[in-house]
Amino acid sequence: MKRFVTERRTLLCFFTVICLITALTQAPWFQKTLPAFARMNQQTLIIDPGHGGEDGGAVSASGQAESQINLAIALELDQLMGFYGVPAVMTRYTDVSIHDESAGTLREKKVSDLHNRVALINRIENATLISIHQNASPNPSHRGIQVFYGEEALSMPLAQQVQQTLTEVAAPEKKRAPQHIASSVYLMNHISCRAILVECGFLSNPEEARLLQERAYQMKLAMSLAACYLTSGNSQEGESFV
């Protein structure tokens, strides 16, 4: 019986993705992007699931670590990029820290992990970074999506598009504007490419934490991120695909 329920849920999730893809490709704004896919091959999307391993990030009341949810959404986005033939690089594919072996303490591992992510990102030319995170607050009523951007001229247009799209999809009652990333966020302030950091929701909010652990909701977020990236233009030249 459990196997039947699992298979049914898997089929339902697959059907949901197919429906979303079909709806997306039939939309007039998406149809305009199709001739531009050849130019997309000049770009690489770097997908960064925040945290990992011993550094689990925020934790929900049920004990779900942020790092695992970040990874689940990132893997869905990576699969969608593969579906459209868009080059993509993940900073991690499993729930691990990518620190050097010489790092001993948790602090050393965190620092090494960030340095290695920065080095990976800066090695890739003509790239766009989407760093996926989850939020938390002492106030459990706080909810919604918040997008942060790096260098303003390069990154703000994508941040605005992602903020608007994800808000409409996930939390239309929470109207927020994208914000410039704080100088204390090491990764976003030590890279040169177009970059946004997306806080997909509040793990401190019980309802939102439950949604963020559902695969169908993770797919919805990944699909929205994919749509924004596919229509956002050339990261270095500012060329629009719509």
Side-chain angles (χ1 to χ4, degrees), residues 64-109:
Q64 179 68 54
E66 173 190 351
S67 62
Q68 297 168 359
I69 297 176
N70 297 343
L71 180 61
I73 297 170
L75 288 170
E76 297 291 353
L77 179 57
D78 183 52
Q79 289 184 5
L80 287 169
M81 292 298 98
F83 179 87
Y84 287 109
V86 175
V89 172
M90 294 268 289
T91 57
R92 63 181 179 94
Y93 283 92
T94 57
D95 190 20
V96 296
S97 169
I98 56 174
H99 60 265
D100 295 332
E101 292 184 2
S102 60
T105 66
L106 179 58
R107 176 177 173 77
E108 289 174 345
K109 290 177 181 179

Side-chain angles (χ1 to χ4, degrees), residues 106-184:
L106 179 58
R107 176 177 173 77
E108 289 174 345
K109 290 177 181 179
K110 287 184 177 181
V111 171
S112 176
D113 174 277
L114 288 171
H115 287 179
N116 287 338
R117 290 183 200 232
V118 167
L120 184 157
I121 293 165
N122 285 335
R123 282 197 300 268
I124 300 173
E125 296 182 359
N126 196 19
T128 291
L129 171 72
I130 297 180
S131 188
I132 298 173
H133 287 257
Q134 310 304 319
N135 220 332
S137 169
N139 186 340
S141 67
H142 288 172
R143 61 172 298 163
I145 292 158
Q146 182 64 63
V147 179
F148 298 89
Y149 56 89
E151 197 280 319
E152 184 169 341
L154 196 60
S155 305
M156 188 174 179
L158 176 61
Q160 290 175 323
Q161 186 175 359
V162 171
Q163 181 75 67
Q164 180 180 352
T165 301
L166 288 185
T167 297
E168 291 174 353
V169 166
E173 76 283 2
K174 292 293 181 182
K175 303 297 183 184
R176 288 191 176 98
Q179 297 182 15
H180 191 271
I181 198 76
S183 59
S184 59

Side-chain angles (χ1 to χ4, degrees), residues 220-231:
K220 182 187 293 186
L221 294 173
M223 194 68 188
S224 300
L225 288 170
C228 289
Y229 175 72
L230 291 171
T231 59

